[in-house]
């Protein structure tokens, strides 16, 4: 993918942007309700058949948007369930991390718990390595010196823990699994070589704390969302910032690339969801929500975007919603 300055955007790209705007102008939204407290994360599995959500109600829900009779709940955590990740090599395995100091691995096909791994701190975020062998988890410390621990799930042993002299809100492996990104409370991104975990480079990305990091599915880009309300887009190969997106007046809390890496969905403490064109940074679509959003995730194959947060239905249940900007039957 080549990148050019705004003033050099060609007519074909402009036409592409207008086509996206037209598609999203006809988008519809469907609501799925079930959590009793706010949703912290939502993630599609690799096939896009299942959607997992985690919540402050300690429950993990597995939704089958195309076949609702098979929805299930996974119970076992005793604290807020902050994050979930699907196994990149097994679409029926889900890992969840919680403030109860436990990581749990589930078989969603049977609804059974596979393993519980106790950690040394409250787990606030996690990621799963591209080869499926390792889970990394962020352990929050009250002194604002967070730790990241790497766990080999083949033996369920932590083989490395690093303490960082800053708050860490987000961690991500790159697409190839040869580097590992760690966000900081000062606005920088620390790049570690993997698997050696040697310090490689510190990127001065933002003027405020970085709340979220994402790698695009095609393996060329990295995005960071910050308390300074900006989103920065980075070339993974050069580790150079190639674009900034400014859709918000408040901190960006969550983001997700589209399956073809052309678009990025963003949500902030300002109650709205925005979709921007990655190449140009232009706003494609936005809409107001009733409350703040904590999670957004693009379907891996279809024109669907799941999003969730604090929104409740008439009965008081917290909902996850799916925006449909195509002709998918839900």
């Amino acid at each position: 993918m080549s990148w050019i300055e705004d003033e050099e955007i060609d007519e074909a790209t402009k036409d592409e942007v207008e086509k996206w705007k037209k598609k999203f102008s006809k988008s519809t939204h469907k609501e799925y309700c079930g959590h009793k407290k706010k949703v912290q994360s939502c993630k599609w599995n690799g096939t896009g058949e299942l959607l997992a959500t985690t919540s402050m109600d300690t429950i993990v829900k597995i939704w089958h948007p195309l076949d609702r009779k098979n929805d299930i709940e996974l119970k076992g955590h005793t604290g807020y369930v902050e994050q979930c990740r699907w196994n990149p090599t097994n679409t029926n395995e889900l890992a969840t991390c919680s403030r109860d100091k436990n990581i749990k691995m589930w078989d969603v096909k049977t609804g059974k718990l596979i393993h519980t791994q106790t950690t040394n701190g409250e787990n606030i975020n996690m990621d799963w390595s591209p080869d499926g062998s390792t889970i990394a988890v962020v352990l929050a410390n009250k002194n604002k010196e967070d730790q990241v621990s790497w766990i080999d799930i083949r033996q369920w042993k932590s083989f490395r823990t690093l303490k960082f002299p800053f708050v860490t809100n987000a961690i991500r492996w790159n697409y190839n699994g040869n580097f590992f990104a760690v966000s900081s409370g000062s606005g920088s991104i620390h790049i570690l070589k993997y698997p050696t975990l040697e310090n490689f480079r510190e990127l001065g990305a933002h003027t405020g704390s970085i709340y979220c990091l994402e790698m695009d599915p095609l393996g060329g880009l990295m995005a960071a969302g910050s308390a300074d309300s900006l989103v920065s887009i980075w070339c993974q190969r050069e580790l150079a910032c190639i674009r900034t997106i400014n859709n918000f007046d408040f901190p960006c809390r969550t983001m997700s690339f589209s399956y073809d890496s052309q678009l990025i969905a963003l949500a902030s403490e300002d109650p709205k969801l925005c979709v921007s064109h990655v190449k140009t940074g232009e706003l494609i679509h936005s809409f107001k929500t009733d409350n703040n959003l904590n999670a957004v995730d693009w379907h891996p194959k279809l024109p669907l975007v799941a999003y969730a947060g604090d929104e409740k239905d008439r009965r008081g249940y917290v909902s996850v919603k799916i925006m449909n900007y195509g002709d998918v039957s839900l």
Side-chain angles (χ1 to χ4, degrees):
M1 184 180 293
S2 61
W3 297 90
I4 52 182
E5 296 299 323
D6 287 329
E7 62 268 17
E8 297 178 0
I9 297 297
D10 56 31
E11 291 301 319
T13 302
K14 292 178 182 178
D15 290 344
E16 180 183 271
V17 167
E18 291 306 313
K19 287 179 181 178
W20 282 122
K21 289 181 178 180
K22 187 175 181 180
K23 272 192 174 184
F24 275 91
S25 69
K26 300 177 182 178
S27 61
T28 58
H29 302 254
K30 189 163 184 178
E31 185 176 52
Y32 302 84
C33 300
H35 285 291
K36 296 179 180 178
K37 294 183 179 179
K38 71 177 181 177
V39 176
Q40 299 290 77
S41 69
C42 65
K43 296 291 178 186
W44 296 98
N45 73 339
T47 62
E49 296 174 293
L50 307 175
L51 178 68
T53 55
T54 69
S55 169
M56 290 177 67
D57 64 10
T58 76
I59 304 298
V60 180
K61 292 186 73 69
I62 307 298
W63 309 85
H64 296 66
L66 302 181
D67 187 8
R68 293 295 311 286
K69 67 178 182 293
N70 291 319
D71 292 351
I72 61 171
E73 290 187 347
L74 305 176
K75 298 180 179 179
H77 281 296
T78 57
Y80 300 166
V81 188
E82 295 285 358
Q83 186 58 266
C84 63
R85 295 287 179 188
W86 292 94
N87 187 339
T89 62
N90 186 333
T91 56
N92 288 315
E93 288 184 354
L94 179 76
T96 55
C97 70
S98 169
R99 294 275 183 174
D100 65 9
K101 300 184 180 181
N102 288 316
I103 296 170
K104 292 184 181 291
M105 185 171 171
W106 311 84
D107 180 343
V108 301
K109 193 171 184 179
T110 63
K112 293 182 178 180
L113 178 66
I114 297 173
H115 182 80
T116 297
Q117 183 79 4
T118 301
T119 62
N120 295 323
E122 295 185 355
N123 308 304
I124 61 171
N125 211 334
M126 68 188 308
D127 198 19
W128 208 320
S129 64
D131 65 2
S133 69
T134 306
I135 287 174
V137 60
V138 180
L139 311 176
N141 282 330
K142 293 180 180 179
N143 61 3
K144 297 184 179 181
E145 292 186 350
D146 292 347
Q147 299 178 30
V148 178
S149 184
W150 288 263
I151 301 165
D152 185 337
I153 67 167
R154 295 165 295 190
Q155 302 175 344
W156 285 109
K157 289 184 178 181
S158 174
F159 61 87
R160 188 77 180 272
T161 298
L162 293 178
K163 181 182 287 187
F164 294 94
F166 46 72
V167 173
T168 301
N169 293 305
I171 53 173
R172 292 294 279 167
W173 267 281
N174 71 330
Y175 183 81
N176 295 321
N178 58 8
F179 82 66
F180 189 88
V182 180
S183 74
S184 82
S186 64
S188 61
I189 305 171
H190 295 254
I191 304 298
L192 310 179
K193 294 181 180 179
Y194 193 81
T196 63
L197 297 175
E198 299 174 65
N199 287 317
F200 178 64
R201 191 174 300 178
E202 180 180 350
L203 308 177
H206 291 271
T207 58
S209 181
I210 295 175
Y211 291 136
C212 48
L213 289 172
E214 283 298 328
M215 305 292 173
D216 85 295
L218 299 186
L221 303 174
M222 174 175 68
S226 170
D228 63 14
S229 78
L230 297 175
V231 173
S232 57
I233 307 293
W234 298 74
C235 171
Q236 288 189 26
R237 184 180 60 189
E238 303 294 335
L239 291 178
C241 182
I242 55 178
R243 177 83 53 212
T244 56
I245 298 173
N246 184 11
N247 290 334
F248 304 117
D249 296 320
F250 296 93
C252 178
R253 285 287 185 178
T254 181
M255 62 177 67
S256 179
F257 281 100
S258 62
Y259 53 85
D260 57 8
S261 300
Q262 292 189 45
L263 306 173
I264 187 168
L266 310 163
S268 80
E269 293 177 7
D270 182 14
K272 67 178 179 179
L273 189 146
C274 297
V275 176
S276 292
H277 190 249
V278 174
K279 185 176 180 180
T280 64
E282 187 168 348
L283 181 65
I284 297 294
H285 183 66
S286 70
F287 59 90
K288 287 283 185 180
T289 57
D290 293 334
N291 291 286
N292 294 344
L293 298 179
N294 302 316
V296 60
D297 199 45
W298 218 292
H299 192 281
K301 299 177 182 179
L302 298 175
L304 304 172
V305 182
Y307 59 97
D310 303 351
E311 294 193 298
K312 295 182 179 181
D313 68 2
R314 295 175 183 175
R315 299 169 299 168
Y317 287 104
V318 180
S319 63
V320 57
K321 295 181 179 180
I322 298 177
M323 176 170 60
N324 183 349
Y325 61 96
D327 56 359
V328 182
S329 177
L330 290 176

